């Protein structure tokens, strides 16, 4: 609750921007993502330095919103293992629901040839968010065939759920966006875990080179980390899984000390 109060307080001092303005500014569906674990005190300083050029998304007076993502994988977690092995052609499959509005989409996230993230969306019924419909399967097959020349793996089913609160900051002139996530919870069919009680998961989204927020974070001695909510959640909820590429990140999420190098 202390983290939520601090985030609410510092974002209240920013200028608002509407959803229509954010969507008109740039879709950023092909982008470079850089992720950071930011202790709450450092996050407050980050926002204070960006306040003059960034605005915060506001909808109906709210500046943070509840998200739920349902990730799909095979019973043996084949998609997780693609990422573990750093396969060139790897992808994630999920539904994302904006719990405040009830809006939902089916999403396929691919890795491009230059390590950029390519995300494709299909409008989805919120009531179906825990299963793959036939239109979703067809959409997935089309995306994989177009991008990689392969078909989807067999046996995809719900693997785990992540929930969190997100605020979005945007610089309309530089086509730069920050998402700021708190109150993270990971859950599967048998267990749930609350993570990062004293930190914000910040993701910088740019069209290529580093942006203003990346420069400020570097000045604050916060470095990018390798993190995928899905992969970290899978590793935490299944402790016997190998998680070598994200070992330090998994340690931070499991309650280890946040490192500022």
């Amino acid at each position: 609750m202390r983290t939520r109060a601090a985030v609410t307080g510092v974002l209240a001092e920013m200028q608002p921007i509407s959803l229509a303005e954010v969507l008109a500014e740039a879709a950023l569906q092909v982008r470079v993502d850089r992720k950071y674990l930011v202790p709450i005190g450092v996050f407050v300083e980050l926002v204070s330095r960006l306040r003059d050029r960034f605005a915060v998304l506001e909808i109906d007076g709210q500046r943070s919103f509840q998200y739920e993502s349902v990730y799909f994988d095979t019973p043996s977690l084949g998609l997780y293992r693609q990422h573990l092995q750093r396969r060139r052609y790897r992808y994630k499959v999920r539904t994302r629901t904006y719990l405040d509005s009830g809006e939902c989409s089916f999403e396929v996230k691919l890795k491009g040839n230059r390590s950029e993230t390519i995300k494709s969306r299909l409008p989805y019924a919120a009531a179906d968010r825990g299963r793959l419909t036939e239109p979703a399967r067809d959409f997935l097959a089309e995306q994989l065939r177009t991008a990689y020349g392969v078909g989807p793996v067999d046996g995809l089913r719900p693997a785990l759920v992540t929930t969190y609160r997100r605020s979005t900051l945007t610089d309309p002139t530089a086509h730069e966006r920050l998402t700021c996530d708190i109150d993270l919870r990971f859950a599967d069919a048998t267990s749930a875990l609350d993570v990062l009680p004293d930190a914000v998961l910040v993701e910088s989204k740019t069209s290529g080179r580093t942006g203003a927020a990346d420069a400020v974070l570097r000045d604050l001695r916060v470095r990018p980390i390798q993190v995928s909510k899905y992969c970290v959640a899978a590793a935490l909820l299944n402790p016997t899984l190998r998680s070598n590429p994200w070992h330090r990140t998994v340690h931070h999420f499991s309650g280890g000390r946040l490192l500022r190098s």
Side-chain angles (χ1 to χ4, degrees):
M1 294 301 292
R2 183 179 73 88
T3 296
R4 189 190 300 184
V7 170
T8 300
V10 72
L11 295 185
E13 300 173 3
M14 298 188 70
Q15 290 296 316
I17 189 170
S18 70
L19 180 59
E21 291 174 292
V22 170
L23 295 177
E25 174 262 317
L28 280 181
Q29 294 299 87
V30 179
R31 68 200 186 202
V32 175
D33 301 339
R34 299 173 187 86
K35 300 176 184 179
Y36 306 84
L37 286 181
V38 184
I40 185 58
V42 179
F43 178 78
V44 171
E45 175 64 18
L46 168 69
V47 174
S48 70
R49 295 195 191 187
L50 297 176
R51 188 178 298 136
D52 291 341
R53 60 186 300 170
F54 279 73
V56 59
L57 173 64
E58 181 176 286
I59 302 174
D60 296 331
Q62 294 189 70
R63 297 188 173 193
S64 73
F65 309 93
Q66 292 184 296
Y67 283 55
E68 178 194 84
S69 295
V70 180
Y71 288 88
F72 297 84
D73 208 333
T74 66
S76 62
L77 300 183
L79 301 190
Y80 173 87
R81 297 179 196 284
Q82 285 182 357
H83 287 77
L84 177 69
Q85 295 162 6
R86 310 300 293 172
R87 298 276 184 88
R88 181 179 178 186
Y89 296 147
R90 59 190 188 271
Y91 58 96
K92 298 189 188 79
V93 181
R94 73 185 182 198
T95 59
R96 169 168 286 178
T97 306
Y98 304 88
L99 297 177
D100 298 282
S101 67
E103 230 182 294
C104 184
S105 61
F106 175 72
E107 299 183 347
V108 181
K109 295 182 72 174
L110 309 170
K111 277 296 178 186
N113 292 329
R114 292 174 295 182
S115 296
E116 76 270 24
T117 300
I118 303 171
K119 183 164 67 175
S120 302
R121 288 184 178 135
L122 178 73
Y124 218 62
D128 290 332
R129 67 186 185 271
R131 70 185 189 96
L132 288 181
T133 63
E134 283 306 311
R137 293 180 187 277
D138 292 343
F139 181 79
L140 171 61
E142 179 186 356
Q143 298 303 313
L144 293 177
R145 184 171 56 250
T146 300
Y148 297 158
V150 302
V153 296
D154 294 328
L156 291 176
R157 50 72 167 137
L160 60 86
V161 179
T162 66
T163 57
Y164 49 95
R165 298 190 69 87
R166 168 168 289 184
S167 298
T168 299
L169 313 183
T170 185
D171 179 350
T173 60
H175 306 294
E176 182 181 354
R177 192 177 303 170
L178 287 183
T179 60
C180 311
D181 298 343
I182 61 171
D183 295 354
L184 278 80
R185 168 169 282 203
F186 302 150
D188 59 15
T190 60
S191 57
L193 183 65
D194 293 322
V195 296
L196 299 182
D198 300 312
V200 183
L201 179 59
V202 172
E203 188 167 350
S204 162
K205 306 170 193 288
T206 68
S207 57
R209 57 188 177 184
T210 57
D214 300 295
V216 172
L217 284 163
R218 184 168 58 247
D219 187 56
L220 292 170
R221 302 180 65 191
V222 179
R223 300 292 182 258
I225 59 168
Q226 290 187 16
V227 58
S228 151
K229 285 192 185 75
Y230 173 62
C231 293
V232 169
L236 286 171
L237 293 167
N238 302 272
T240 59
L241 284 177
R242 287 181 55 229
S243 59
N244 307 51
W246 317 287
H247 178 73
R248 291 180 66 186
T249 303
V250 169
H251 175 65
H252 299 333
F253 272 77
S254 64
R257 181 173 59 90
L258 284 173
L259 301 181
R260 295 174 59 195
S261 57

